Amino acid sequence: MTDSKNINNPVGQGGGQRKRLSRAERQNNGPHRNLDRQGAADRKAELARKMHEKTRAAEDADQAGDDTAQS
């Protein structure tokens, strides 16, 4: 029985045909990676939104403080 060194040409592996693996899938970055990346993008967007709200609240407080100091 001969063994193939090419993962996409599994000679003598038995069990029928095997699916061709993309480079990403061979590196364990298969289709599930897209879900992980989407989750990370969602968390990043949420964090950015919270930071913008904090800075907006701080700016509003500064403006309110400036208004009272001028009057």
Side-chain angles (χ1 to χ4, degrees):
M1 179 182 281
T2 60
D3 290 328
S4 173
K5 293 184 179 182
N6 183 350
I7 193 162
N8 286 326
N9 185 18
V11 176
Q13 293 294 321
Q17 293 181 342
R18 286 176 48 179
K19 177 182 176 287
R20 286 182 63 103
L21 298 174
S22 68
R23 176 178 283 177
E25 288 171 330
R26 278 184 264 149
Q27 295 171 348
N28 287 333
N29 293 330
H32 62 277
R33 182 172 187 238
N34 294 334
L35 295 175
D36 293 341
R37 294 181 73 175
Q38 183 62 42
D42 291 343
R43 287 192 300 275
K44 183 178 178 181
E46 181 68 17
L47 179 62
R49 184 187 63 78
K50 287 180 182 178
M51 291 174 63
H52 287 300
E53 286 179 358
K54 282 185 180 181
T55 57
R56 198 173 306 127
E59 288 173 356
D60 291 344
D62 287 344
Q63 286 179 351
D66 291 344
D67 291 343
T68 57
Q70 290 177 352
S71 53

